[in-house]
Amino acid sequence: DIISKLPKDIFHQVLSRLDTKEAVRTSFVSKKWETLWNSIPILNFNSMDFRNLKSFKKFVNYVLSLRDDDCTVHAVSFHRGSTDNGLMNKVIDYAVTHSVRHLNVSGSEFSLFTPSLFTPSPKFYNCQTLQNLALRNFRDVSLPMEASLFNSLTALHLKECTLVQNKDIRSYNPDECFDPFLGCVNLKFLCLHNSMFSGGKTLKLNLPQVVSLTIKGIMYYRSGSGEAKVELFAPKLTSLSFTSCGAFCFSKMDTSSLECVFVDIIPGFYVLVDPGDANKMNKDLIKMMEGLQNAQFLTLTYQTIEAKICEEDIISKLPKDIFHQVLSRLDTKEAVRTSFVSKKWETLWNSIPILNFNSMDFRNLKSFKKFVNYVLSLRDDDCTVHAVSFHRGSTDNGLMNKVIDYAVTHSVRNLNV
């Protein structure tokens, strides 16, 4: 039996890749395998693997009672049907008292419109080893407000959850900002998917250490009447992905380190029916884009900028710096072509900070030479040029020197010839 002679660590790696139900079944293979499963570092419980919830509950209790209590558990996944909260809390308590690092818990998949209550014991909020937490299909989720809790949490994934203000804390005030992640001081990765926030006058996303933020289809309901506003404080954020049926009304934004931004606005039915809603969404989008204009790379989907969202030309209201960033990523020939889009775009290309001339984009060298002379003659002479690329065929040196002279007399930093 050569398999049984393998080191115990290898057995653990193999068994950890199975659902816990399958891992327990290996105890029948041989005498050595009989108790191997009770010390594996990863537990994966899924009620869908069982005929009924009674047998699932019995199995979970069986596993936890026979586990080697001296062994830590690195990761625990618990996907339940409509079983009671007691079993879920028992699994969570076991995980946090055995130094869990990754915890993935899903509520009932049969109650999408009435998600399960998330009511873990105080042990959960005092866990100092938890690094990665994923919750799905829960309501009334409230994270700890004290910075001393959840110190080790660096990644948080919330899907189909409702986050509410913690009404049990002394400082609760429905008229103040709702700051749901205040206690997650070391959070670096945050993913919010089809989730809802409820409470306070303003939703405050206070994320001082977060570097990656994914927002996909979230909603905010404020206390009382008035416009729901969102504040984003994420000075170390480098990557932002935003997908929604409407733009958020960001009243404040601090995203000074942004590198990559992806925005996909999919207008809902209400936007297509009510012009007032459409106009508000466009204003929110413009304001949001102004807050993101320092990003190095900006990607907007066609749906986001499609003119059919409303009759208003929302693209032309974007800041000039964003236009320059977009046009600078095109060959200069393509940038000049955008002058036909609208009146505002007519002269935008003549002040972009990057020029890229390539003779291969033209039918012949004569038309290439004519185009280069046309661009240089109509450029805004007060504008500097950061970068110039010139790729020529067998055209004369005069044209090349003209481009180089233009570049160096307009404060060029990067020159590629």
Side-chain angles (χ1 to χ4, degrees):
D1 180 7
I2 61 169
I3 301 177
S4 296
K5 291 181 180 179
L6 293 172
K8 198 171 184 178
D9 287 345
I10 292 182
F11 278 113
H12 282 167
Q13 285 188 48
V14 173
L15 296 183
S16 292
R17 283 165 173 76
L18 303 175
D19 281 343
T20 303
K21 182 181 179 181
E22 299 301 323
V24 172
R25 280 180 172 169
T26 63
S27 61
F28 298 102
V29 173
S30 71
K31 195 72 176 174
K32 184 178 179 180
W33 289 58
E34 200 170 1
T35 57
L36 268 175
W37 64 268
N38 70 10
S39 56
I40 56 175
I42 297 177
L43 295 175
N44 189 353
F45 299 115
N46 193 334
S47 64
M48 300 299 289
D49 295 335
F50 293 81
R51 191 173 298 173
N52 53 56
L53 293 171
K54 184 179 178 181
S55 59
F56 174 60
K57 190 173 181 178
K58 185 178 179 180
F59 174 77
V60 173
N61 286 320
Y62 170 80
V63 170
L64 297 185
S65 64
L66 292 180
R67 282 271 304 174
D68 184 343
D69 213 45
D70 294 328
C71 292
T72 58
V73 59
H74 297 166
V76 174
S77 292
F78 182 82
H79 304 282
R80 67 170 191 163
S82 55
T83 187
D84 61 297
N85 277 1
L87 183 64
M88 177 187 74
N89 289 338
K90 187 174 183 177
V91 172
I92 293 175
D93 284 352
Y94 181 88
V96 298
T97 55
H98 287 78
S99 306
V100 71
R101 299 177 198 166
H102 304 271
L103 182 61
N104 184 347
V105 184
S106 295
S108 172
E109 295 182 2
F110 304 107
S111 56
L112 293 176
F113 297 103
T114 55
S116 309
L117 275 168
F118 186 71
T119 54
S121 71
K123 291 179 182 178
F124 170 72
Y125 294 111
N126 286 302
C127 183
Q128 295 296 315
T129 60
L130 188 60
Q131 297 173 4
N132 189 316
L133 174 63
L135 299 176
R136 180 177 181 181
N137 204 25
F138 286 106
R139 59 188 168 96
D140 293 353
V141 177
S142 57
L143 299 173
M145 296 291 103
E146 296 85 356
S148 60
L149 303 177
F150 274 20
N151 263 338
S152 57
L153 191 68
T154 57
L156 178 60
H157 306 260
L158 299 174
K159 186 174 183 180
E160 295 157 8
C161 290
T162 302
L163 277 82
V164 295
Q165 275 184 303
N166 191 339
K167 298 179 182 180
D168 297 327
I169 59 174
R170 293 179 184 176
S171 58
Y172 170 70
N173 185 345
D175 293 328
E176 293 183 355
C177 292
F178 176 25
D179 196 345
F181 308 111
L182 182 64
C184 305
V185 292
N186 292 313
L187 202 62
K188 286 182 168 44
F189 305 93
L190 177 60
C191 180
L192 305 171
H193 189 176
N194 289 345
S195 292
M196 185 174 75
F197 297 84
S198 178
K201 297 292 185 184
T202 301
L203 175 62
K204 191 171 184 178
L205 300 178
N206 191 27
L207 310 168
Q209 303 297 327
V210 168
V211 295
S212 176
L213 174 60
T214 300
I215 296 175
K216 189 171 184 179
I218 70 170
M219 300 180 75
Y220 172 50
Y221 292 98
R222 56 163 282 166
S223 299
S225 59
E227 188 178 24
K229 294 182 179 180
V230 182
E231 295 179 7
L232 177 60
F233 174 73
K236 294 185 179 180
L237 188 68
T238 58
S239 175
L240 172 64
S241 176
F242 184 94
T243 303
S244 180
C245 60
F248 267 8
C249 179
F250 283 101
S251 54
K252 293 180 183 178
M253 289 185 79
D254 181 357
T255 54
S256 51
S257 301
L258 262 181
E259 294 177 7
C260 300
V261 175
F262 173 82
V263 179
D264 185 14
I265 304 294
I266 307 165
F269 179 74
Y270 69 94
V271 169
L272 300 176
V273 171
D274 190 336
D277 284 336
N279 288 331
K280 182 188 178 305
M281 188 192 78
N282 290 331
K283 289 176 182 176
D284 290 344
L285 176 60
I286 292 165
K287 190 166 184 178
M288 186 172 84
M289 298 307 296
E290 287 174 350
L292 302 174
Q293 63 180 303
N294 59 323
Q296 295 181 33
F297 300 97
L298 175 65
T299 303
L300 302 177
T301 62
Y302 179 72
Q303 292 176 110
T304 305
I305 60 176
E306 188 180 20
K308 289 180 182 178
I309 291 176
C310 72
E311 296 177 0
E312 200 174 359
D313 179 9
I314 63 167
I315 306 176
S316 296
K317 291 189 175 182
L318 294 173
K320 199 171 184 179
D321 287 345
I322 291 182
F323 280 111
H324 283 167
Q325 286 188 48
V326 173
L327 296 183
S328 292
R329 284 165 174 75
L330 304 174
D331 281 344
T332 304
K333 182 180 179 181
E334 298 301 323
V336 172
R337 280 179 172 170
T338 64
S339 60
F340 299 101
V341 172
S342 72
K343 195 73 177 173
K344 183 177 179 180
W345 289 59
E346 201 170 0
T347 57
L348 268 176
W349 63 269
N350 69 12
S351 55
I352 56 175
I354 298 177
L355 296 175
N356 188 354
F357 299 113
N358 193 336
S359 64
M360 300 300 289
D361 295 333
F362 293 82
R363 190 174 299 173
N364 52 58
L365 292 173
K366 183 180 179 181
S367 58
F368 174 58
K369 189 174 181 178
K370 184 179 179 181
F371 174 77
V372 173
N373 285 320
Y374 171 80
V375 169
L376 297 184
S377 64
L378 291 181
R379 282 270 304 175
D380 183 343
D381 213 44
D382 295 328
C383 292
T384 59
V385 58
H386 299 165
V388 174
S389 293
F390 181 81
H391 303 282
R392 67 168 191 166
S394 55
T395 187
D396 61 298
N397 279 357
L399 183 64
M400 177 185 72
N401 290 335
K402 186 174 184 177
V403 171
I404 293 174
D405 287 348
Y406 181 88
V408 297
T409 56
H410 288 78
S411 309
V412 70
R413 300 175 194 168
N414 302 294
L415 182 61
N416 183 352
V417 182

